[in-house]
Amino acid sequence: METGSVTTPFGRRSMTLGMLANQVMAGEIKPDQSVDKWKLFRALCEAKPLLGIGDRALAVLNALLSFYPKNELAEENGLIVFPSNIQLSLRTHGMAEQTVRRHLAALVEAGLLLRKDSPNGKRYVRRDRAGEVNEAFGFSLAPLLARAEEIEQLAAAVMAERLHVQRLRERITLCRRDIAKLIEAAVEEEIPGDWQGLYREFRDLIEGLPRSPTTAQLELLLDELTALRTEILNRLEIRVKSTKQRGNADYIERHIQNSNPDSTSELEPGFETKQGAMAEQDKGREAETLEEGRGEAAQSRQEESRHSGGRNDGGALKSFPLGLVLQACPEVLAYGPGGAIRNWRDLMTAAVAVRSMLGVSPSAYEEAANVMGPENAATVMACILERGGHINSAGGYLRGLTRRSEKGEFAIGPMLMALLRANAPAGRKVG
């Protein structure tokens, strides 16, 4: 058999211990061992990162396998192929012969091929009178057959790693979506907390990921994002629980106050008199409390009206922190007094300049300020300036938002959060 003896390379190519080890391993093939050559080639394509071979080398190996006459690699069918470099170049869609030789050497070095060189270095076959192959010189595919089980295991390991990375990326994508939307909901609902700081921490984690991350880096990012999401959820759950407890307490208080004090049971005279006196005192205290509550409610409505931009039939528009508005709409800073915006008055001054620059009529802006409130109208103008390249008519767009605000169909929060994400430094994608 052709794998039963050791052969040395032709010409100036030197013999190495690696070549000798590959020949010894190829000589240990079991007589009945066989494998489908194309199934093995697909496993090679999967395992190429662990075998140290590239796409071009695999293309040359594919061409060599196409010269093998049977689909099953087996020792009884012979394991030597002997195409010339010209034939290999044609089968590799015109690859240069020098490139073919380089990749053939890479396949031999990777232990996937063996050279069986003739005395003159040419590749050819000798046949007997019956046309059967008597002796062949070229490349032996014996290492592929000998390492078939190893190659399949390597391919399975690569596929398992790829699946693990895919699942990591999916979980990271879900965490990113959850964190962004939870922070957006917290800002829109005006829940107390350093949400800007948490958003910056979130962006820092995403932007710190390399363009081609390793599995360990993806696992670390997932752990950090999961911890951040848990922290945000804990804060929101505390808020939800406190709101629920307040609602239950209000319900219990209303239930007690609305209970029927009349009773058909007979009371002792002294106790009945005392109960009546206490009821009179409770009514007096209740009247005082009600009066104080009305005053506090009126003051609260005035305060809320000043900060939320006023109310309309569709409900109240929520105002947002000035720092968040400027972070989402940095372009408006250039229109502030002296090129800076330090308070809401500066932002409203800048909004007037932006209105004039964008061609928005004074009446359209005045109507928006009446419906939304001056602070919210200035915020909307800053958003329109930020999205100026996507808006054909700033005046018509502002009037449309004003109409929607009157109907209670417009909220500033989603617009601000979208701009906040768009103006964040470009992070690298993970999903």
Side-chain angles (χ1 to χ4, degrees):
M1 61 182 179
E2 55 267 1
T3 59
S5 60
V6 173
T7 60
T8 57
F10 171 79
R12 290 179 294 179
R13 292 193 295 267
S14 59
M15 183 68 176
T16 66
L17 290 179
M19 292 180 184
L20 181 60
N22 289 335
Q23 291 188 35
V24 171
M25 177 185 62
E28 298 175 352
I29 298 174
K30 298 176 182 178
D32 59 344
Q33 186 175 353
S34 65
V35 64
D36 185 284
K37 64 179 181 181
W38 298 123
K39 180 181 178 181
L40 182 61
F41 181 74
R42 286 192 293 272
L44 277 168
C45 293
E46 292 287 352
K48 67 178 180 179
L50 300 181
L51 293 171
I53 54 175
D55 298 338
R56 307 293 294 279
L58 284 174
V60 174
L61 181 59
N62 180 75
L64 281 173
L65 289 174
S66 69
F67 284 101
Y68 190 76
K70 304 287 186 179
N71 281 334
E72 292 287 328
L73 284 179
E75 192 173 7
E76 62 181 11
N77 297 328
L79 294 171
I80 302 294
V81 288
F82 39 87
S84 66
N85 287 341
I86 295 177
Q87 291 174 317
L88 286 174
S89 177
L90 293 174
R91 293 281 178 100
T92 54
H93 307 287
M95 186 183 295
E97 291 186 37
Q98 183 177 1
T99 306
V100 169
R101 287 193 293 269
R102 186 171 70 251
H103 290 303
L104 285 171
L107 291 169
V108 172
E109 185 178 355
L112 300 176
L113 290 180
L114 283 178
R115 293 182 186 272
K116 186 178 180 183
D117 290 339
S118 65
N120 62 2
K122 301 295 184 180
R123 300 171 205 152
Y124 58 86
V125 62
R126 287 198 180 99
R127 302 180 184 272
D128 57 20
R129 292 182 178 181
E132 297 294 331
V133 175
N134 188 15
E135 189 174 15
F137 297 97
F139 290 100
S140 173
L141 303 175
L144 291 178
L145 182 57
R147 299 179 63 185
E149 185 177 351
E150 174 197 352
I151 291 170
E152 290 175 356
Q153 292 176 353
L154 292 176
V158 170
M159 288 188 287
E161 178 70 10
R162 184 187 301 120
L163 181 60
H164 178 56
V165 169
Q166 179 183 352
R167 289 176 177 172
L168 283 175
R169 291 182 179 275
E170 289 174 352
R171 293 174 63 187
I172 287 172
T173 300
L174 291 175
C175 268
R176 290 182 59 179
R177 185 180 70 190
D178 292 346
I179 291 172
K181 289 187 178 293
L182 288 172
I183 292 178
E184 180 179 348
V187 171
E188 187 172 349
E189 296 293 335
E190 296 182 351
I191 297 176
D194 185 16
W195 301 112
Q196 295 183 48
L198 288 174
Y199 186 78
R200 285 193 296 270
E201 181 181 352
F202 166 59
R203 295 307 309 175
D204 290 341
L205 289 176
I206 299 302
E207 292 156 13
L209 192 69
R211 184 177 296 275
S212 299
T214 63
T215 303
Q217 289 171 329
L218 289 174
E219 290 173 346
L220 178 61
L221 176 63
L222 178 59
D223 291 341
E224 292 173 337
L225 289 177
T226 301
L228 181 59
R229 180 177 63 179
T230 302
E231 179 183 353
I232 295 172
L233 281 173
N234 288 339
R235 296 190 183 189
L236 294 179
E237 286 175 359
I238 291 173
R239 176 71 175 186
V240 169
K241 289 178 181 178
S242 63
T243 303
K244 185 176 180 181
Q245 290 173 357
R246 268 201 314 274
N248 290 340
D250 292 342
Y251 172 78
I252 293 171
E253 182 178 356
R254 288 194 303 271
H255 178 72
I256 294 174
Q257 290 176 354
N258 293 336
S259 297
N260 185 6
D262 298 332
S263 176
T264 58
S265 61
E266 296 182 358
L267 303 176
E268 296 182 2
F271 182 77
E272 187 175 7
T273 304
K274 186 182 295 184
Q275 186 183 32
M278 291 177 64
E280 290 297 327
Q281 293 176 2
D282 288 343
K283 288 181 180 179
R285 283 197 297 269
E286 183 179 352
E288 293 177 1
T289 303
L290 182 60
E291 195 62 33
E292 292 176 0
R294 288 173 178 169
E296 291 177 358
Q299 183 179 0
S300 175
R301 284 195 298 271
Q302 293 175 359
E303 187 71 18
E304 184 178 359
S305 176
R306 183 168 65 254
H307 288 286
S308 65
R311 292 181 181 272
N312 51 52
D313 294 337
L317 270 183
K318 298 178 180 178
S319 60
F320 292 85
L322 179 62
L324 179 65
V325 175
L326 297 180
Q327 187 176 355
C329 309
E331 291 189 14
V332 77
L333 290 168
Y335 296 88
I341 294 178
R342 293 168 291 271
N343 48 47
W344 282 105
R345 186 181 299 276
D346 290 348
L347 179 62
M348 288 186 278
T349 302
V352 173
V354 170
R355 174 200 65 74
S356 177
M357 187 268 294
L358 293 179
V360 177
S361 65
S363 61
Y365 184 71
E366 182 179 357
E367 184 181 5
N370 290 334
V371 173
M372 304 178 187
E375 295 173 353
N376 288 326
T379 300
V380 170
M381 284 307 306
C383 293
I384 293 176
L385 174 65
E386 202 69 28
R387 299 184 58 199
H390 305 282
I391 299 174
N392 295 328
S393 173
Y397 187 72
L398 180 61
R399 289 187 184 276
L401 295 182
T402 303
R403 299 283 83 79
R404 290 176 56 194
S405 181
E406 285 180 331
K407 299 176 182 178
E409 299 174 351
F410 171 65
I412 300 178
M415 179 185 293
L416 280 177
M417 293 306 297
L419 290 174
L420 194 64
R421 289 194 294 268
N423 289 327
R428 299 175 175 84
K429 296 183 177 180
V430 178

